[in-house]
């Protein structure tokens, strides 16, 4: 679980710093300290790494569904 979290955090950081092109298995391995073999086993390509980061991020920002669109949008805006 720790290795997975370190790899995903490295992916997030690399994406913030350099966009899609910055996220490679080698870069994530160097940043996270995880072996590339381990990364390839869990995420066969860089798109899989980015997809998991996006899915986790999207799931963490959900606001409760109240049926009130305007108030929901305003509260999500922060």
């Amino acid at each position: 679980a720790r290795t997975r979290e370190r790899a995903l955090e490295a992916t997030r950081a690399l994406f913030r710093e350099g966009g899609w092109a910055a996220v490679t298995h080698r870069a994530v391995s160097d940043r996270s300290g995880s072996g590339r073999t381990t990364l390839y086993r869990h995420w066969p390509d860089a798109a899989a790494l980015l997809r998991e980061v996006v899915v986790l991020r999207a799931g963490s920002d959900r606001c409760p569904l109240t049926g009130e669109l305007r108030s929901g949008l305003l509260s999500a805006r922060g």
Side-chain angles (χ1 to χ4, degrees):
R2 269 193 320 242
T3 299
R4 181 177 178 278
E5 184 54 39
R6 282 195 319 258
L8 294 174
E9 181 53 41
T11 301
R12 281 189 286 274
L14 288 163
F15 182 69
R16 277 192 304 268
E17 294 166 10
W20 296 95
V23 179
T24 65
H25 282 80
R26 178 175 295 226
V28 173
S29 175
D30 291 345
R31 174 77 58 104
S32 69
S34 303
R36 276 190 282 161
T37 303
T38 300
L39 295 176
Y40 278 108
R41 187 177 312 126
H42 295 285
W43 302 281
D45 52 35
L49 276 163
L50 287 164
R51 184 174 32 258
E52 185 161 349
V53 166
V54 168
V55 167
L56 289 171
R57 174 70 181 170
S60 68
D61 285 347
R62 296 203 174 202
C63 61
L65 299 176
T66 63
E68 298 292 326
L69 178 61
R70 186 178 192 291
S71 63
L73 290 171
L74 290 172
S75 70
R77 194 174 85 182

